Amino acid sequence: MARGTRKTAVLKLGGVGVLAALLFAGGLQLASAGENNRPATTAAAQTVNCPTVRDKLPAVPAAASAEVERELTNLDQEIARQNERLARQAVRPEGGPAFIDNAILGPLRSKRVAVLDRIEIAFNRIGAPRPDLDALAACTLNAPGVPSAVNGGAGQNTGGQNGNAGGQNGNAGGQNGNNGGQNGNAAGQARTVNCPRVALPAVPGAAAGQVQAELATLDKQIAEANARLAQLAVRPEGGPAFIDNAILGPLRSKRVAALDRIEIAFNRVGAQRPNLDALATCGLN
């Protein structure tokens, strides 16, 4: 390299050094992206805030009960699914300012319109007055860390889902609720799964997004199992061990995996790993 060229290179490098020095002197810091560009901490995720439907219904005729229960479970399942998306969004944001409205709340409203319409049709099909549920379709957002209200099992107050990652780990509320004591009676009333409440210690901020996502996964699993039970109330299948083998057994395996991921989320950030093994097994209401 010629002497003049070396001098130019030194001057350029010196210019970068001077610029960096001026930035630091002005109070600005050059931040490192970190491992996989993950932020050091993650805020608790928002959850969807949807109107509850069960408490807005008139008395459900026995002939429509199983179908209505199945659709209420579908509503809860969709809430859990969208909460899972919001939890991922809290960890890895995507899209612009309108992303949540366009990709989450808008499609959720459309799905709720269809489900609510099927509930109305279930009443109408057997000659009962058709309820007007149109106003219950639109959802908004809760503040970060506030659990969603769900419809749950019949006769149960709507609680939350498995709670939030900010330490307010509410129980599965209505989702784990019973069916008012009518466990698969002659009216075709569906049973629901009864899973232990996931009570957690204070969740570190750096683990909050992952924990929230897994709590939403647990709620989604409960809603899916309840949907299967609702189908069984209408179209029974299998022998006496069918529910254990086809619903409760697989549900336990899925919960073991989700609970293990929650434990790992604590351990990964250096927090004490909770022991959640006893919370994996569910029974029936």
Side-chain angles (χ1 to χ4, degrees):
M1 180 185 295
R3 181 177 300 175
T5 306
R6 285 200 299 271
K7 183 181 292 186
T8 301
V10 169
L11 287 173
K12 286 182 178 179
L13 289 172
V16 173
V18 171
L19 177 59
L22 289 173
L23 287 172
F24 280 100
L28 296 176
Q29 295 182 355
L30 301 179
S32 171
E35 182 185 356
N36 296 326
N37 294 317
R38 287 196 300 265
T41 58
T42 303
Q46 289 184 280
T47 58
V48 293
N49 179 15
C50 300
T52 52
V53 176
R54 182 183 298 282
D55 56 335
K56 314 295 192 309
L57 292 175
V60 180
S65 176
E67 186 171 355
V68 170
E69 286 298 321
R70 182 168 61 251
E71 299 303 342
L72 290 173
T73 297
N74 284 339
L75 291 173
D76 288 342
Q77 185 174 353
E78 197 55 46
I79 287 172
R81 184 176 294 113
Q82 299 311 320
N83 282 343
E84 189 174 357
R85 292 199 64 191
L86 287 167
R88 290 198 300 267
Q89 181 75 0
V91 179
R92 296 181 180 84
E94 57 180 304
F99 177 81
I100 289 179
D101 282 338
N102 294 336
I104 296 178
L105 294 182
L108 176 58
R109 184 185 185 283
S110 298
K111 292 173 183 176
R112 286 175 64 87
V113 166
V115 174
L116 293 169
D117 190 56
R118 291 196 295 269
I119 292 176
E120 295 177 2
I121 291 171
F123 278 75
N124 191 68
R125 185 180 291 122
I126 62 170
R130 177 170 177 153
D132 183 2
L133 307 177
D134 293 350
L136 307 179
C139 302
T140 57
L141 290 180
N142 287 312
V146 177
S148 300
V150 292
N151 293 292
Q156 185 78 10
N157 292 328
T158 55
Q161 296 180 333
N162 270 310
N164 59 69
Q168 305 174 17
N169 298 301
N171 60 32
Q175 275 200 350
N176 287 331
N178 60 36
N179 279 313
Q182 302 178 40
N183 295 313
N185 60 19
Q189 187 82 324
R191 300 176 78 176
T192 56
V193 294
N194 181 11
C195 298
R197 169 177 175 251
V198 179
L200 296 175
V203 180
Q210 179 68 30
V211 171
Q212 178 70 24
E214 297 305 335
L215 291 174
T217 296
L218 290 170
D219 290 327
K220 180 180 176 182
Q221 293 166 357
I222 289 172
E224 289 172 347
N226 283 341
R228 291 285 313 275
L229 289 168
Q231 291 169 353
L232 279 181
V234 180
R235 297 181 183 86
E237 58 180 300
F242 179 82
I243 289 178
D244 284 337
N245 296 336
I247 298 178
L248 294 182
L251 177 60
R252 183 185 187 283
S253 299
K254 293 175 184 176
R255 285 175 65 85
V256 165
L259 293 169
D260 189 57
R261 289 193 295 268
I262 291 175
E263 295 177 2
I264 291 171
F266 276 74
N267 192 66
R268 185 179 291 125
V269 299
Q272 184 174 354
R273 179 171 178 152
N275 185 359
L276 307 177
D277 294 349
L279 306 179
T281 303
C282 303
L284 288 179
N285 291 305

